Amino acid sequence: MELFPIIPAGGILALLVALYMTSSVLKEDTGPKEMQVIAAAIREGAMAFLNRQYRTIAGLALIVAVLLALLTRQYHTAIAFITGAFASALSGYIGMYVAVNANLRVAAGARKSLNKALTVAFRGGAVTGLAVTALSLLGVTILFYAFGGATNPTQAPLDIVGFGFGASFVALFAQLGGGIYTKAADVGADLVGKVEAGIPEDDPRNPAVIADLVGDNVGDCAGRGADLFESTAAENIGAMILGIALVPVFGVKGIIFPLVARAAGIIASIIGMFFVKAEEDQDPMAALNRGYIVTSILAIVFLYPISRYMLSGPGVNFIYFYGAGIIGIVLSFIFVLITQYYTSYDYRPVKEIARASITGPATNIISGVAVGFESTALPVVFISLAILGAYWLGLKSGLPGGGLYGTAVATMGMLSTAAYILAMDTYGPITDNAGGIVEMSGAPEEVRRRTDRLDASGNTTKALTKGYAIGSAALATFLLFSAYIDEVKIALNIKGNFPVDIGKPEVFVGAFIAAMMVLLFSSTAIRAVGNAAQYVILEVRRQFKEIPGIMEGTAKPEYGACVDIVTRGALKEMVLPGLIAVITPIIVGLVLKAEAAAAFLMVGTITGVIVALFLNNGGGAWDNAKKYIELGNYGGKGSEAHKAGVVGDTVGDPFKDTAGPSLHVLVKLISTITLVLARLFI
């Protein structure tokens, strides 16, 4: 039974299905001219931003690649870095192109039926999920064999660590730039449009409305796609490095296992995607959950023969590693449930914030902060249980030192559904855009009701994906920390343990700086949104004042001016937090050396995960508390509670869509940087 061909087969199949879904989306009806004009403006703005952003990132990436070649004196590392950066950017382009063409087709499909709109939206999202995971898998595989994996499999994983660094580098700036853009536009549109002018969301009289709709794409499509691209790439490489020590027991199978598991997960996701269908009176979330359940069950089924074939050896019982993989898949389910509890208005935390809004913005903010802090507890408990459980199963397998590999298998399990999860995530901004197009084009109320139902489920999927992303980041960085320790041991020719003694001053300082860096990075990312939002607010106020007839609907706002202003502001503001994330771990490693870098990596991961949970869940809870009030609770739209809810939502926006998601990338970026430069820290 030879499973290795499943690797290219899974990647190529994913690309073929992505092409099929792209074709099926583009063939759909584009609706009336009014819709087409609005969609064209969104598409033009989104692609213009992406082009300018990636030109900026490309310049920074070339500088880093040259420095890597000079510092490491290994051309493999620089080539792998550039390849990872290019593949990450390509996946972002593919996803963005389909998303900004799918939104119009979803709006037009909603004129016919809910299922038609749902199918088009999900297939548009599926293209991103499949393109990201396929390019990640194929990129790592091609580099592995190009760098001698067939003849020297124990060296090749060490030569391709730059691929993960390149992917992380692009992901950080893509998430930062997109997150700053989307929230600056959103805050500007809401504060001047909703609060000051008193006009509804997505009202065509708002000069920032197109910029807001563009932001949904550049923040949630391109940004999250880059996030999960680097997750799958970095974790594959980290697990392959851990597999080097297992060659005497498993042979090359221990190194290749992560790639085979990833290919099987992609195939499971493809099958699950075709189960997403809904009746007119059915909750769209039920259809999405059905596909997710099918994907997860198939991932569990596929993992069994793969584990049996690849993780069996003399005295080693594969069933324990299979159990570790199931732990990872179950953890992803648990994270989805926890995130839903803290961010959905069906449950106590969001209702608590909505109720606190009755007495004004101050109590809304206090309640939201409290919910955000509370929401960190359960995820940390379950991540800890998953790591301990997977480690224990690895030890029980009979494999010497099998505990760490057990956590690697758990990580592979959690990421096995990544293609489907990312499809659900991109579905969110597509449906959000469709709702905006329907609103601005003056479509009938029945059409708006359908897109509202899709948008509500899209808000849920975006929140769930953030929980999934930070959960996988936590498991992944433990795996990458172990891979870093392994590389240091290889460089120092250490056969036993490499202890990290927090009692040493330089090691303590390294850990201390890591915790500080996470908070400093979050501060600069949030401030960047505030700075960029000010440009938008001033421009919207100017247009309301200087262009007579906007409020009466007799004059058209200058949408392009807002798009251009927020684009320039976002690209300018993303540089400082990005540089902080890249430079700090390098300085710590070069000055304080390998043991301090290990402490930096460990404490940076812990702090980053907890702060990201606080920001993601707190921001999501504020958002849905506002939506809960808008449904007619506590006075409904226009009430004092609603005004307080809008303020809370505005505070939470940069938390959940800029700083929080960027921290997912940060914790993996510092892992890949230390992994690439480990030998310089000796």
Side-chain angles (χ1 to χ4, degrees), residues 145-222:
Y145 285 105
F147 290 174
T151 56
N152 191 8
T154 58
Q155 179 59 36
L158 301 174
D159 289 337
I160 64 174
V161 291
F163 185 90
F165 181 22
S168 298
F169 186 86
V170 170
L172 181 71
F173 285 100
Q175 184 64 72
L176 267 174
I180 293 167
Y181 184 109
T182 184
K183 289 303 103 182
D186 193 10
V187 169
D190 280 0
L191 286 184
V192 184
K194 283 185 180 179
V195 177
E196 294 182 12
I199 57 179
E201 187 171 359
D202 295 334
D203 192 300
R205 293 173 292 177
N206 191 329
V209 68
I210 294 293
D212 189 11
L213 293 170
V214 169
D216 293 330
N217 293 289
V218 300
D220 289 323
C221 294

Side-chain angles (χ1 to χ4, degrees), residues 70 488 508 522 640:
L70 294 174
V488 171
F508 177 80
S522 301
E640 291 303 312

Side-chain angles (χ1 to χ4, degrees), residues 565-656:
I565 284 173
V566 76
T567 296
R568 285 188 278 111
L571 294 180
K572 174 186 173 184
E573 298 291 342
M574 78 178 184
V575 176
L576 177 60
L579 290 179
I580 288 172
V582 173
I583 292 172
T584 310
I586 297 175
I587 293 174
V588 168
L590 291 175
V591 175
L592 302 178
K593 300 304 178 183
E595 197 174 343
F600 180 96
L601 176 52
M602 183 186 300
V603 174
T605 296
I606 293 169
T607 310
V609 167
I610 291 174
V611 174
L613 286 167
F614 164 73
L615 294 172
N616 287 340
N617 293 333
W622 266 315
D623 186 0
N624 279 329
K626 178 200 70 174
K627 287 183 171 64
Y628 184 70
I629 295 169
E630 288 176 343
L631 290 175
N633 300 289
Y634 304 118
K637 289 183 179 181
S639 65
E640 291 303 312
H642 183 234
K643 292 178 182 177
V646 170
V647 173
D649 178 38
T650 305
V651 172
D653 272 343
F655 282 28
K656 69 180 175 64

